Amino acid sequence: MLRFPNPGSTINNFVAVYRAAINQLRGCEVTLDNLLAATVRANLATSSGHSGHEAIARSTRPDRSKDPLYNQLKMYAELFRALGWFHPTDRRALINRFTLLGEQVAAAGPHYSSLLGECVLGIAHPSHTLTIKGDYNLRPFSAILQTMLQCDGALSRDEMIVGPLSVSSDRTHKDIFNVASRINELRRHPDELYAAMADLVHVRGVKKTTFENYTRWPIAVMRDLGWARKDKLPYRDSNKTFQVHRLTDVGEAIAYRVSKSADLRADQVDTLPTQYKSALALTTHYSMLSRSGFDISHVQNSLSEISETYLKALERLEIDPEQPLLFSPFQSMTTTDIADAFNQATPVQSVSRTNSLDTSIKAGSGTGVGRGPRNHLFVAPNFVDRVPSESKAHDKDLSEELQKLRRTEGSVQAATAAFLEAHSKDNQMAFYPLVSSMFRIIGFQCDYSRAGVNYQRWDAWIITKGTAIPIEIKSPTEEQFLSTKAVRQALENKIVLLSRGGLVTKAGVSTLIVGYKIPNERSEMSTLIDDIFSTYEISIGVIDLRVLATLAIKAVCEEITIDSNQLIRLRGFLDG
Amino acid sequence: MADIVPHKDIAKHSGTARNYREQATHLEFEGLDAPVTVVLRSGERGTGTCLGCYDAPCMWIELSSAVLPKTLMAFPRDPDPRVCPTRAITWNSAQQIVDVSPDLCIGCGLCAARCPYGAISITSDGTAHVVSDDPDSLAVEPHSMDEFGGHPIPTRTGAIGQPNSSPLADLPTTITNLEDSARTVLVRNLLTQCGLPCLTRRRGDQNVRMDGVFAVDENRVGVVETEFGTSVLESPRSLLEAVAVLHGRYDLAVYAVEPLSVVLHLPNNRSEYFQVIQDIDYVLGIRCRSVTVGALAALMWRFTTLSTLPAGLFSTQPGSTDLLVGIRETVAPGFPDVEPYPASYRPVK
């Protein structure tokens, strides 16, 4: 499948990043760090929960491949190049310069949509200015629009993936017809498309979510340009419907224009003599601008002078002059041909201006990489002898289950893994009692709130040392991975308990979150836990099922448990 | 031939394509379907007409008007400067006027409220109507560019329409059908037009833990969370998170932050929403305010300014959940008790 990077979801921001860059760096060669600095200065960059220079500081890493902001700007740069707004310099692939076409985008101000649409249609592979993986002979947006026309005016995201974005060539009408025919067949039943996607995933060795990510930018473009809107379609042989992106009137008009246009590609233009290429480049460039609402009156005389050469070029290409042309010179011709046609000088300034990154902002320069040092939020349990607490009916069965797991699996680690797997599909009705039972096994008085008791806003509570610890529980069916949503709810639980009473608690006592798994990227949760503590002096502790199971197994097998003084003040992730 | 050519719709200079004979000092709004009366400095009166502003306040909003504390100047705002949430208003370069697409217009009245020349009113069909034929011959050829001293800031009286008239009454349906970005633009611009210059986060930016911030005064910043679905109870929690982030990452004092929920409907009194707000106030000393889109729009339709965000405005607690009481006590005595739609001023009983 043709891959589109996804630096962000709105075209407004996308264009704003380019505009910020060109306004600050006009005339320069542009590295990714220059682009990054320009984006930050324009308040368009965030990372690790921060903005501005703090975002850069927290993003920057010695290994740039792990630098989220840098990678995001890399994606922007790739798309700018695809759109003809950046051209590569001769020196290195990651150094670019602004193009005349990009200048026009900036000059359009808020009226950039039409020109953006032309540039989007102008993306075509192969291209002299952008190398991509895969052997594609494809003008992707043209392929998508024309396929939509033949598929009831609409395509779903998955249909785009298996259809026009996975076809190796769209050079002929038959190519499009074949794609559309296949899509229409797949609409018989949901299983058909499902199988087609599964096949693609298997063949390419790429996850489905990755394919989906590759469509985000093109879908956002079509949405924000007003070419498509969301709709639903029924399957032919099923009661189910599926979400599609349907052409609007504007999108349909664009699609029809595209279908009737002569689609001129780089390999055809390469065969032309230089003067023909120049005439073609100039005429099509300014025609594109004219269609996009620019006033080309003062270049009209110059264009008239080359019109004869332009017509000869079309004749050589066997294109009817009356037929609309689908061609964007800055996106299809070599940089040398462009420079010849537009008599352009190369930039004189390189990257030494103050627009470079402040070199004092390095990884670990005080604010820390990523979310900053977070070690204080990963807390190993302090173990003490277990004092059995009051048990309930289910506790004995659970204790025996845990003991058996420990015996059969051979280690605590293996036993907890098996326990996790066994409870991976628990809903609230199963998970809440399970959690409270496990706390009792560990040695704490614990119970869970019953449905319908609205004043008990917390899902469970522990009573220890005469004080209540509210617990927010997220079952695996609610959330596989805990998130900031649970943090907010845990905070609210504590506030409500302090305000309304019902159970005795104190301000310094923690509020807990128990869930199936903690997220792989824990930074947002941990930063928020720190923010909440620094602001409200409320401690939020997080225990996932693996750690809880570890504690419970140790309790039944080794008669040890977590120190209640630690639990009552837990802040961060209990790390068993 | 590397010529950069201008876009036809870009302002070549500041100013307007036409001018009134004298500066506009006052605009009188007579409700739906009635053209706006403009009063000039000389006392001359007539129907307002489009003067073809090159920087069209009816189309573009100045985001830099939100003056935030230094630590928040890097707030990663949505750079979209459009006024109209649905992009219904466009520049007609051939005639040097603005056009409104009735198919796209939702009749929110933002353009009408922002036009400094009284050219736009709202019809009972729920769309904006632009007068451009200068029926009372108030317009003359433009002054020279050097003489343009900026758009006037006329006083405004009357109302764009009754609060319960069609466009505002239909807001719940309208908003439900809007794209998320359009809703955000609507809320941002309503707050800004009511005197609380607002910046909203960029769509999809999960690093920014709040929907938006707005300037209250030199000592206070507002943070806004919008919740148009059924999860209104999420809003106070989100506000607490936002306050914590502003304190923890932007060094703002907690007391300097004014949290505001913008919702579609006020939840009913039995909902935990108001109780949780009270709990937060009791335990943390943070007063979370609430306002509906309908109430904001109704306030804007009567040109009410909220710029000091006085205590008591949009504040609720169990047993006292009527927004109109606070509105009348603080910013608009005598504000009519006409709800745009049920639960826009007070919970439904």
Side-chain angles (χ1 to χ4, degrees):
Chain A
M1 178 199 168
L2 185 68
R3 175 191 145 273
F4 282 99
N6 179 37
S9 305
T10 73
I11 300 310
N12 232 328
N13 298 332
F14 179 81
V15 175
V17 167
Y18 185 82
R19 203 180 293 129
I22 202 171
N23 286 340
Q24 296 179 44
L25 301 166
R26 181 174 278 113
C28 295
E29 291 183 340
V30 180
T31 66
L32 291 182
D33 281 326
N34 298 143
L35 193 57
L36 176 52
T39 305
V40 165
R41 271 193 213 93
N43 298 334
L44 293 169
T46 61
S47 181
S48 306
H50 285 75
S51 57
H53 284 286
E54 192 64 28
I56 298 181
R58 288 173 184 269
S59 173
T60 304
R61 289 155 167 84
D63 180 357
R64 299 314 292 279
S65 69
K66 293 184 167 49
D67 181 335
L69 262 183
Y70 186 83
N71 285 324
Q72 187 183 25
L73 271 303
K74 205 168 165 187
M75 288 191 266
Y76 274 113
E78 184 179 331
L79 285 168
F80 292 157
R81 207 185 268 192
L83 291 165
W85 303 354
F86 265 179
H87 271 172
T89 64
D90 293 331
R91 297 198 286 119
R92 279 168 55 193
L94 294 182
I95 302 179
N96 295 280
R97 59 173 180 266
F98 300 106
T99 66
L100 185 62
L101 180 59
E103 288 278 6
Q104 294 290 175
V105 172
H111 307 283
Y112 61 78
S113 291
S114 288
L115 183 55
L116 174 62
E118 294 284 340
C119 294
V120 156
L121 292 174
I123 298 176
H125 303 289
S127 159
H128 288 296
T129 55
L130 179 67
T131 306
I132 59 166
K133 284 183 190 169
D135 187 21
Y136 293 99
N137 204 323
L138 183 60
R139 191 182 290 277
F141 281 88
S142 161
I144 291 172
L145 292 170
Q146 291 191 73
T147 306
M148 285 168 105
L149 278 181
Q150 297 186 37
C151 291
D152 197 13
L155 282 179
S156 69
R157 178 197 57 205
D158 289 357
E159 287 172 341
M160 281 185 211
I161 292 171
V162 303
L165 291 178
S166 288
V167 70
S168 56
S169 172
D170 68 330
R171 296 296 288 263
T172 68
H173 288 298
K174 191 160 188 291
D175 290 331
I176 298 293
F177 176 79
N178 289 341
V179 171
S181 299
R182 181 164 180 248
I183 298 289
N184 284 319
E185 280 170 22
L186 294 176
R187 287 182 176 177
R188 190 183 63 80
H189 193 275
D191 290 347
E192 307 271 355
L193 182 58
Y194 183 83
M197 276 296 304
D199 190 50
L200 188 66
V201 163
H202 175 71
V203 164
R204 300 293 169 104
V206 173
K207 287 186 197 170
K208 185 169 183 283
T209 48
T210 306
F211 281 133
E212 290 168 4
N213 284 339
Y214 291 159
T215 63
R216 287 188 192 277
W217 192 79
I219 288 175
V221 162
M222 291 199 294
R223 177 198 66 217
D224 287 356
L225 286 176
W227 291 2
R229 57 174 170 79
K230 284 185 187 169
D231 198 0
K232 281 191 174 353
L233 272 183
Y235 290 100
R236 284 197 300 280
D237 294 349
S238 165
N239 292 332
K240 290 185 179 173
T241 60
F242 59 104
Q243 188 176 82
V244 293
H245 301 278
R246 177 173 292 288
L247 287 171
T248 59
D249 291 345
V250 168
E252 197 175 58
I254 301 270
Y256 274 119
R257 172 165 77 88
V258 163
S259 68
K260 289 173 174 28
S261 297
D263 185 343
L264 186 56
R265 303 284 174 100
D267 57 352
Q268 295 167 273
V269 176
D270 288 346
T271 63
L272 294 175
T274 302
Q275 62 179 123
Y276 284 17
K277 284 187 204 175
S278 293
L280 185 71
L282 288 164
T283 307
T284 53
H285 171 71
Y286 287 106
S287 295
M288 194 162 92
L289 293 181
S290 177
R291 284 195 300 275
S292 306
F294 287 82
D295 177 4
I296 64 167
S297 53
H298 82 272
V299 298
Q300 207 61 58
N301 285 344
S302 302
L303 292 175
S304 300
E305 289 168 12
I306 59 171
S307 63
E308 201 177 314
T309 313
Y310 170 68
L311 289 172
K312 285 181 184 168
L314 291 184
E315 190 183 342
R316 178 79 69 95
L317 292 165
E318 297 178 0
I319 292 174
D320 179 353
E322 299 301 315
Q323 190 179 8
L325 200 56
L326 197 53
F327 179 71
S328 173
F330 281 86
Q331 294 170 263
S332 291
M333 296 174 71
T334 67
T335 53
T336 306
D337 287 338
I338 290 292
D340 287 342
F342 291 89
N343 292 327
Q344 279 190 299
T346 51
V348 295
Q349 294 201 42
S350 79
V351 301
S352 61
R353 284 167 40 162
T354 53
N355 287 303
S356 296
L357 262 184
D358 180 351
T359 53
S360 71
I361 301 173
K362 295 179 195 152
S365 64
T367 49
V369 170
R371 306 287 170 166
R374 300 254 74 88
N375 295 337
H376 63 285
L377 290 176
F378 291 86
V379 180
N382 297 332
F383 286 105
V384 299
D385 292 335
R386 179 176 80 113
V387 176
S389 74
E390 179 190 339
S391 65
K392 299 199 175 185
H394 178 60
D395 299 351
K396 185 165 179 292
D397 293 338
L398 184 56
S399 293
E400 287 170 3
E401 179 190 340
L402 290 167
Q403 283 178 316
K404 186 178 172 188
L405 272 177
R406 175 66 181 86
R407 278 197 308 272
T408 54
E409 297 296 327
S411 70
V412 173
Q413 197 175 7
T416 56
F419 189 77
L420 244 68
E421 181 58 34
H423 292 277
S424 63
K425 301 219 177 347
D426 280 6
N427 58 18
Q428 288 181 16
M429 285 188 54
F431 201 71
Y432 288 20
L434 174 72
V435 167
S436 60
S437 184
M438 291 174 84
F439 273 113
R440 287 194 295 272
I441 288 171
I442 289 168
F444 293 93
Q445 182 186 345
C446 181
D447 206 351
Y448 66 97
S449 305
R450 269 52 176 184
V453 183
N454 287 334
Y455 69 82
Q456 287 180 340
R457 296 193 55 76
W458 39 91
D459 298 321
W461 66 94
I462 288 169
I463 304 288
T464 185
K465 294 190 177 306
T467 193
I469 306 174
I471 307 175
E472 178 67 24
I473 303 178
K474 290 293 183 194
S475 68
T477 53
E478 289 176 271
E479 282 182 4
Q480 275 273 306
F481 295 93
L482 287 168
S483 67
T484 54
K485 185 175 176 184
V487 174
R488 290 194 291 273
Q489 286 173 305
L491 173 62
E492 183 185 286
N493 290 344
K494 184 68 181 182
I495 289 168
V496 169
L497 186 55
L498 284 170
S499 174
R500 302 185 203 177
L503 296 168
V504 176
T505 194
K506 296 175 191 160
V509 170
S510 296
T511 173
L512 295 181
I513 299 167
V514 174
Y516 188 62
K517 290 183 181 176
I518 55 175
N520 293 325
E521 171 49 53
R522 287 145 213 180
S523 45
E524 195 51 57
M525 272 186 84
S526 61
T527 309
L528 189 55
I529 288 170
D530 264 347
D531 289 334
I532 286 171
F533 183 73
S534 75
T535 308
Y536 308 124
E537 295 183 354
I538 289 176
S539 297
I540 297 177
V542 185
I543 305 174
D544 67 3
L545 190 63
R546 179 188 64 83
V547 171
L548 194 57
T550 301
L551 294 177
I553 289 171
K554 282 184 176 300
V556 298
C557 296
E558 299 173 42
E559 294 292 338
I560 57 174
T561 186
I562 181 173
D563 185 351
S564 61
N565 290 318
Q566 184 182 37
L567 188 68
I568 216 169
R569 283 177 184 75
L570 183 65
R571 180 160 58 97
F573 301 87
L574 191 64
D575 198 6
Chain B
M1 192 167 124
D3 295 74
I4 297 177
V5 295
H7 197 281
K8 290 174 188 166
D9 294 344
I10 282 287
K12 297 180 185 56
H13 54 81
S14 61
T16 55
R18 296 162 292 283
N19 275 327
Y20 287 140
R21 268 192 286 282
E22 292 275 346
Q23 188 179 57
T25 57
H26 183 68
L27 302 176
E28 294 174 356
F29 286 77
E30 311 267 353
L32 297 189
D33 295 318
V36 181
T37 300
V38 61
V39 181
L40 305 184
R41 186 159 41 198
S42 58
E44 189 178 1
R45 305 162 63 89
T47 297
T49 189
C50 180
L51 298 185
C53 308
Y54 287 116
D55 58 352
C58 58
M59 289 183 64
W60 310 116
I61 202 160
E62 185 53 65
L63 294 175
S64 61
S65 66
V67 178
L68 299 172
K70 195 171 167 195
T71 53
L72 265 184
M73 286 313 291
F75 180 82
R77 82 264 330 250
D78 184 346
D80 185 351
R82 74 183 197 262
V83 168
C84 181
T86 57
R87 297 190 174 88
I89 191 163
T90 52
W91 176 246
N92 182 330
S93 52
Q95 296 181 48
Q96 302 280 283
I97 58 171
V98 290
D99 289 329
V100 174
S101 163
D103 292 334
L104 295 175
C105 179
I106 60 172
C108 64
L110 275 165
C111 53
R114 289 179 57 79
C115 173
Y117 303 107
I120 308 178
S121 58
I122 303 295
T123 68
S124 47
D125 290 338
T127 58
H129 172 68
V130 180
V131 174
S132 57
D133 58 351
D134 191 18
D136 294 328
S137 303
L138 296 180
V140 295
E141 284 297 306
H143 302 307
S144 69
M145 186 172 72
D146 292 338
E147 288 185 26
F148 180 70
H151 296 295
I153 307 176
T155 54
R156 289 171 170 84
T157 54
I160 291 174
Q162 284 296 315
N164 60 347
S165 49
S166 160
L168 297 196
D170 293 338
L171 270 176
T173 307
T174 304
I175 284 177
T176 303
N177 292 331
L178 282 181
E179 290 269 351
D180 191 52
S181 62
R183 295 180 192 173
T184 306
V185 165
L186 176 64
V187 169
R188 179 193 72 185
N189 294 347
L190 283 174
L191 285 170
T192 302
Q193 195 56 30
C194 288
L196 297 171
C198 180
L199 301 173
T200 46
R201 71 178 162 116
R202 295 172 297 158
R203 178 180 174 153
D205 190 334
Q206 297 301 326
N207 280 300
V208 180
R209 306 299 308 180
M210 57 207 80
D211 289 338
V213 292
F214 57 92
V216 180
D217 55 38
E218 60 186 20
N219 297 316
R220 291 181 296 161
V221 164
V223 62
V224 61
E225 291 292 333
T226 57
E227 182 53 62
F228 294 141
T230 53
S231 308
V232 173
L233 198 49
E234 282 288 326
S235 197
R237 289 177 203 143
S238 299
L239 286 174
L240 284 184
E241 178 186 350
V243 172
V245 168
L246 286 173
H247 175 75
R249 303 181 207 182
Y250 293 90
D251 290 331
L252 289 181
V254 174
Y255 60 76
V257 181
E258 293 281 1
L260 174 68
S261 293
V262 177
V263 298
L264 192 48
H265 301 98
L266 287 176
N268 72 53
N269 281 317
R270 285 198 305 273
S271 147
E272 279 279 295
Y273 178 82
F274 300 108
Q275 183 65 57
V276 167
I277 286 176
Q278 187 179 48
D279 294 329
I280 292 169
D281 188 17
Y282 177 66
V283 173
L284 300 177
I286 293 174
R287 179 70 62 92
C288 295
R289 304 179 194 231
S290 311
V291 68
T292 63
V293 177
L296 269 183
L299 286 162
M300 187 197 71
W301 273 31
R302 297 181 78 84
F303 315 110
T304 312
T305 180
L306 313 173
S307 56
T308 58
L309 206 64
L313 181 64
F314 305 149
S315 290
T316 62
Q317 51 186 327
S320 176
T321 53
D322 191 331
L323 297 182
L324 188 61
V325 170
I327 290 170
R328 283 176 165 176
E329 283 176 358
T330 57
V331 295
F335 199 83
D337 188 359
V338 179
E339 278 191 298
Y341 51 85
S344 47
Y345 293 173
R346 59 189 70 92
V348 172
K349 285 185 184 162

